[in-house]
């Protein structure tokens, strides 16, 4: 009986929002988990045998270890750096369960990059495009450090080509977007090239083609991770927000400048920000156009983790390797599902496309095509109408 009380208390403690859990909707998520927990059937009170207790303990551990554990005590001098243990890669002493034993640590050897090319146009100048040797990771780096990696239309066109190639390459499972050097991820549109028609490369019309790039990243059926050192400002800040995950160095600075430089992004730049940080903070970010440190951005829910600058790529690669261990189809469907509501019809279409893709792989789907090719009536009678 005492043990049962302990287990219930343990579940309750695990289900309650941890001190580091983020504000607004994240809290309500954990609150509903806590509620769900109280609706779990009680442990079998009659079965107090060792075996029964172990079975319950295993189930408790299985549920509890899928929740974020509380942060470990902050390390001296690194208070702004979050160091959350994560999933298979970072289990602490309390997580020596079968899940950790099976999924375990990912290797931490350095990645070897080779230059990649999409083979479809002039050589890249504004972008460095690389793929990891023997691993499914692509890295796309904005290469204008002398302008704090501000983008011009040509930069955006090259980014789009590289993202297209990484999407088409079936050996690639995750894509890193970053900026050259440690001073900036990206400082937005190149203001020196701004015209009344948008941003214009020499001898070309103006355009706002970064908006198409944002959509491309959202629809790309593989995770895109923003690896941010230094400034992520203006259109550069929006680029990190449209990525699926953001790993920030402790020198990262985030902010919008639009209302100070005569610009605004009323599309994803507003709606996704509001989703990420909540409507009040989003108004603050846009109306006041202040800059925020990495640790402030972490508290606001703008980034996934903050790490020391010297560990930025190593940590990002670790996240990539953990993702690459997991089911690509599950991740593909989850990405489209997580975007579906916010992206309206386009989001629904992306998710629906995944459903069609999966259906094509089934015997039932194949029967329709085969019957058509054989000029016969399809026989769907053997496929169950599941409840
Ligand atoms: C990013 C900074 C805060 C960095 O400050 P720091 O002091 O470290 O560096 P410098 O200011 O000295 O910069 C070094 C060097 O780089 C040039 N530079 C930096 N950013 C830009 C830029 N965005 N455009 C052009 N040039 C840039 C800078 O001039 C220096 O050159 P020197 O020759 O003098 O050495 C700081 O640099 C800064 O505040 N940058 C500007 C940030 C900004 O306002 N960005 C534009 C926001 S608007 C935008 O990005 C945008 C783009 C779109 O395509 C849109 C499309 C549709 C809707 C909206 C859009 C939109 O809002």
């Amino acid at each position: 009986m005492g043990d049962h009380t302990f287990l219930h208390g343990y579940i309750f403690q695990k289900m309650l929002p941890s001190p580091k859990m983020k504000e607004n909707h994240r809290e309500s998520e954990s609150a509903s988990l806590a509620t769900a927990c109280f609706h779990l059937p009680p442990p079998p009170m009659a079965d107090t045998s060792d075996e029964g207790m172990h079975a319950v303990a295993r189930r408790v551990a299985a549920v509890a270890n899928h929740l974020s554990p509380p942060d470990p005590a902050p390390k001296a001098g690194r208070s702004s750096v979050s160091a959350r243990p994560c999933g298979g890669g970072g289990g602490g002493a309390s997580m020596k369960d079968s899940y950790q034993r099976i999924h375990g640590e990912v290797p931490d050897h350095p990645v070897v990059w080779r230059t990649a090319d999409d083979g479809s146009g002039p050589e890249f100048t504004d972008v460095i495009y690389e793929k990891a040797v023997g691993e499914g990771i692509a890295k796309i780096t904005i290469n204008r450090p002398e302008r704090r990696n501000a983008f011009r239309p040509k930069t955006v066109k090259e980014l789009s080509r590289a993202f297209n190639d990484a999407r088409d390459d079936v050996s690639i499972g995750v894509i890193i977007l970053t900026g050259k050097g440690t001073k900036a991820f990206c400082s937005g549109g190149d203001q020196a090239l701004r015209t009344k028609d948008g941003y214009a490369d020499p001898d070309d019309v103006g355009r706002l083609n970064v908006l198409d790039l944002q959509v491309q990243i959202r629809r790309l059926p593989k995770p895109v991770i923003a690896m941010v050192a230094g400034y992520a400002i203006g259109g550069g800040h929006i680029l990190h927000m449209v990525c699926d995950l953001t790993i920030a160095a402790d020198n990262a600075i985030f902010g919008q400048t639009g209302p100070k430089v005569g610009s605004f992004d009323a599309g994803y730049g507003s709606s996704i920000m509001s989703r990420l940080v909540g409507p009040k903070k989003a108004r603050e970010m846009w109306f006041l156009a202040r800059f925020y440190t990495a640790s402030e951005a972490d508290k606001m829910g703008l980034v996934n983790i903050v790490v020391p600058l010297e560990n930025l790529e190593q940590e990002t690669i670790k996240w990539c390797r953990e993702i690459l261990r997991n089911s690509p189809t599950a991740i593909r469907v989850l990405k489209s599902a997580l975007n579906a509501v916010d992206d309206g019809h386009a989001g629904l279409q992306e998710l629906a496309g995944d459903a069609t893709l999966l259906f094509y792989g089934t015997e039932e789907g194949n029967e329709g095509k085969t019957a058509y090719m054989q000029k016969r009536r399809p026989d769907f009678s053997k496929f169950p109408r599941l409840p």
Side-chain angles (χ1 to χ4, degrees), residues 26-260:
R26 293 180 186 209
E27 273 188 17
S28 64
E29 243 178 51
S30 39
S32 27
L33 279 170
T35 315
C37 160
F38 286 119
H39 290 95
L40 285 175
M45 299 303 282
D47 184 4
T48 52
S49 65
D50 275 1
E51 206 177 303
M53 291 307 298
H54 279 132
V56 175
R58 270 201 307 277
R59 287 182 58 191
V60 169
V63 173
N65 282 314
H66 284 81
L67 299 172
S68 291
D71 273 2
K75 293 197 174 82
R78 296 238 321 254
S79 54
S80 69
V81 176
S82 40
R84 300 169 202 129
C86 44
S94 62
M95 304 224 288
K96 294 238 180 318
D97 48 40
S98 62
Y99 188 88
Q100 308 304 326
R101 281 199 303 278
I102 292 165
H103 298 290
E105 294 278 339
V106 289
D108 61 359
H109 59 81
V111 78
V112 180
W113 296 112
R114 67 169 176 84
T115 305
D117 182 13
D118 72 333
S120 82
E123 217 169 279
F124 291 131
T125 58
D126 288 17
V127 155
I128 302 167
Y129 180 37
E130 295 162 294
K131 291 177 184 172
V133 175
E135 316 191 55
I137 310 170
K139 182 165 74 163
I140 303 172
T141 306
I142 304 174
N143 185 26
R144 300 190 77 217
E146 70 290 351
R147 318 295 294 167
R148 295 289 183 270
N149 295 319
F151 54 78
R152 51 184 174 176
K154 182 178 195 290
T155 320
V156 175
K157 286 179 197 165
E158 291 185 7
L159 285 168
S160 179
R161 279 172 50 199
F163 273 111
N164 252 334
D165 181 82
R167 176 184 178 140
D168 284 354
D169 184 340
V170 294
S171 74
I172 295 297
V174 56
I175 302 158
I176 299 170
L177 175 63
T178 192
K180 173 87 174 165
T182 57
K183 288 189 176 154
F185 168 76
C186 175
S187 64
D190 188 326
Q191 296 306 295
L193 300 178
R194 196 170 132 187
T195 70
K196 65 180 176 45
D197 305 322
Y199 297 83
D201 289 327
D203 304 324
D204 201 356
V205 292
R207 47 188 96 221
L208 300 174
N209 58 346
V210 77
L211 300 176
D212 299 325
L213 179 69
Q214 295 169 8
V215 174
Q216 185 182 2
I217 293 172
R218 287 283 281 197
R219 290 184 71 92
L220 206 151
K222 303 173 182 182
V224 180
I225 303 184
M227 182 170 84
V228 178
Y231 290 100
I233 302 296
H237 185 252
I238 294 158
L239 277 181
H240 104 84
M241 288 195 297
V242 299
C243 289
D244 297 292
L245 299 162
T246 298
I247 316 282
D250 51 9
N251 79 334
I253 307 270
F254 299 86
Q256 299 299 153
T257 58
K260 291 196 192 296

